[in-house]
Amino acid sequence: MTVTGIAGGFTRRPGLIRIARYGAYFVFAAMSTAFITMEIALLTHDFSVSYVARVGSLETPPYYTAISLWSSLEGSILFWGLILSAYGALVAFVNRKSESRLVPFAGGVMGFVGLFFYGLLTTQLNPFGEVFPVPANGPGPNPLLQNHPLMGLHPPMLYFGFVGLTVPFAFAIGALLSGKLDEEWIRSTRRWTVAAWAFLSVGIVAGAWWSYEVLGWGGYWAWDPVENASFLPWLTATAFLHSVMVQERRGMLKTWNLTLIIATFLLTLFGTFLTRSGILDSVHAFTEGIIGPLFLAFIALVMITWLDIIAWRSDRLHAPGTLDAVVSRESSFILNNLLFVAFTFTVLLGTTFPLMVEAVNGNRVSVGPPYFNMVSVPIGVMLLFLMGVGPALPWRRTTPEKMKKAFLVPVVVGLASVLLGFVVGSRSIWPLITFAFAGFVMATITQEFQKGIAARRRIAGVSAPVALRQILTINNRRYGGYVVHAGIVVIIVALAISGTYRFEREVTLQRGESMLLGDYGVRFDEIWAEQQVQRFVVGSTFTVFHRGNEVGTLKPSMNYYPNSQQPIGTPAVRSTLKEDLYLTLMAFDQEDGRHATIRAIVNPAVPWLWIGGMIVALGAILAVMPQRSSGRPAVSVAEIALSEEPAELAEEPPAVTV
Amino acid sequence: MSAMRRWLPITLVLAFSFPATAVSQEGETAPGTAAAQETEAPQTVEDDRSALTDPAEADLDARAAEVAGGLRCPVCRNQSILESNADLSREMQRVVRERLAAGETPEEVEAYFVSRYGEWILLKPQARGINLVVYALPVIVLLLGFLLARNRLRKWASAGAVETSAGATGSGSIGVEDEEWLRDALRES
């Protein structure tokens, strides 16, 4: 497929391209067969298959058995391969009638990436090894990975995101190889990129949620190297999603966009390398061994190839940029990119710094959450600010009057948000700045919607709700983007609040005894135990009071798995829109359950992280939906331009119509 | 994982070098507990409240949490001792609290743990020697990037100015906002 694709691209012979396309379908069929076979082996507990013997057990419930496919190395790579082949087949199918010179090259590049993974699967990481004698039972998956249903969502979403970023990468390389370096590769991968980005975002949020619900320390993001590994490509992909708009509109930043998407792809590989090689200490690094060097070699190969091709095509990449004014949408995108790249660099530096120091002088240092929080808060706040400025700045240039018109209300709303935060009791500087910018951004987003709706109502003469629906379907990309922004603002505010105003206590309580934490009272009632099929659960029951009223019970527990020496805790959470009460059972009286030690945490605003994540997903879905016409008789372009003019451009001379 | 394995023996030795690490379940006092636990009689919510609102106690709790959040749990993966519920972490939290209560500064408490475990125990590297790189480089990159972007933007802007003055009117002078609207409209049709 690779060979025929690239050869077909160069020779433009339809026959070769067709073979490549059927090759993509065939690879997908083969990977699906492998995947289904493995699922059947897992679900029927066929312990003669090496992977099943390692992660399966008769006691694991079927749901966790099914998802144990990605609970260990070989299965994950198999799953990765399946998704990659699915993307490959889908790209081939969607573009089957395309005359574009890009597609065969892109298909070839995807096939090449696939070769690496399929090669790993068939040589070093074959999950279908034979085990003899056949064991009667297996150890079951890692207890942490069979403790919460979100494990069924978090890894697949991340994989769909990671692997999906191969598509724009393949098209970028395709553009370089074919020499067609205009905006075509960006246009044809736009929706692929947004979709992959959305999967990645959902995967990251689901991972944070999983960590919150399972790991029992009341946090959701630990700057763990592997969390960082998923965050790094997200950062560069986000930068890419913004900077491509500059290329689409203005034809600028060609090399930069190619660099960004290739860096994104390299970071996904690097993330997989970090996760799978076990080079860094992490909850996720469940393996070690030879695949580390293989991944490094592959990363190096991609990098060298990329530099070579860029050098080869450098003559075609030169695009003289012109800008009408420094204060413009273009500049805000460039600043956005600068911040995202600096952010990426910093997280990458922090993540790998312990390795570098150890390599340089043999010392061991740690770079953990205090460092990452220190560096990411200012960058995050600056990005938040830009999120409000960028969309309100017009392309090309603006005038002071327009600026005033665009920013007056948002600035007022921003100031009001600070005041509100202050009145509610916030006295810390970063949260207050965050509130200011959040209010500012939300106001600009609202203004953008208002502007769109008002214009729509004038043009089409429809009611406001209809106008809203129409702008969402006609210009779904732009307004979907704003919805994503709103979701991100919700997440950032929730991060600022929960990061600053969480409080906790750890207390040993006798049976019947209560403790107070904020508005909550928690009474220890009893310790109980239950033998479940796959584990032994020791649980505790606490009655929760809120301002003196009984509001329910919470049952944090400890789970004992046969293949783990340490018990795995399951915290219990009582969520309201305002805050979570989070209880973790830390220790208990093992003789007769007379006392229990709990950590109780009041985590304000945490539910808004998940809500924000859902808003982001919603916006992204909106943005990737195919653009539809509004279903009414088409209004001529001139008519729109004319009807638009009086309101939007009152201060400008009549526009030249096309 | 491999690093875990390398560290496990050391940390185990260290763990047992703490006399109170083998915590007995009876009479265990959790760090950060405001109310006295010695009494067997169940306490009321009111008792607890008075203990909680003791400002000195609350302040000590807050300072202890601050320090504990910056110390790495030696037997966990990437957790601070504040977050971890390993016995060793909880013992270390108790030590942090005691030392702060005895009048040590947070820096002195950190120095104590560094002397026992090495610099590795600090989740935020000390800003000296080679570690300065991790603090300085992001700032340098950001500043350089900013300067580069500024120069580039200015260059482009002056190129744009030349272009507009040369080409005077034409399609280039179309209002920016209707350009956007025209695009949307064109896409629609």
Side-chain angles (χ1 to χ4, degrees), chain A residues 28-223:
Chain A
F28 175 53
M31 286 309 296
S32 307
T33 314
F35 176 81
I36 292 166
T37 312
M38 180 54 80
E39 278 294 353
I40 292 173
L42 280 167
L43 289 169
T44 58
H45 303 292
D46 181 354
F47 294 113
S48 68
V49 175
S50 60
Y51 188 72
V52 181
R54 203 139 59 75
V55 303
S57 89
L58 294 172
E59 289 79 28
T60 310
Y63 175 73
Y64 290 104
T65 302
I67 67 173
S68 68
L69 188 100
W70 48 80
S71 74
S72 192
L73 181 64
E74 290 87 346
S76 317
I77 300 287
L78 175 66
F79 191 48
W80 184 293
L82 171 76
I83 298 173
L84 184 60
S85 69
Y87 273 116
L90 208 57
V91 167
F93 180 74
V94 169
N95 295 298
R96 67 193 179 284
K97 297 211 173 76
S98 162
E99 298 285 312
S100 166
R101 288 191 57 204
L102 274 182
V103 178
F105 284 108
V109 173
M110 291 192 71
F112 178 73
V113 175
L115 272 184
F116 173 69
F117 285 97
Y118 311 142
L120 278 183
L121 274 176
T122 46
T123 54
Q124 303 290 349
L125 299 174
N126 183 3
F128 290 100
E130 263 182 75
V131 181
F132 190 82
V134 178
N137 200 347
N142 180 338
L144 272 179
L145 308 183
Q146 51 166 313
N147 214 17
H148 197 281
L150 271 172
M151 270 321 277
L153 181 71
H154 157 58
M157 286 294 125
L158 271 188
Y159 283 23
F160 275 111
F162 265 45
V163 183
L165 289 169
T166 312
V167 178
F169 162 77
F171 273 80
I173 297 284
L176 281 166
L177 286 175
S178 66
K180 269 184 64 70
L181 286 161
D182 54 7
E183 283 65 75
E184 190 198 336
W185 73 273
I186 284 173
R187 273 200 306 274
S188 44
T189 56
R190 193 161 66 196
R191 281 161 61 197
W192 297 95
T193 316
V194 177
W197 180 89
F199 280 128
L200 190 55
S201 312
V202 171
I204 290 172
V205 174
W209 201 350
W210 172 82
S211 153
Y212 185 70
E213 297 281 345
V214 170
L215 296 183
W217 54 280
Y220 36 79
W221 188 262
W223 295 103

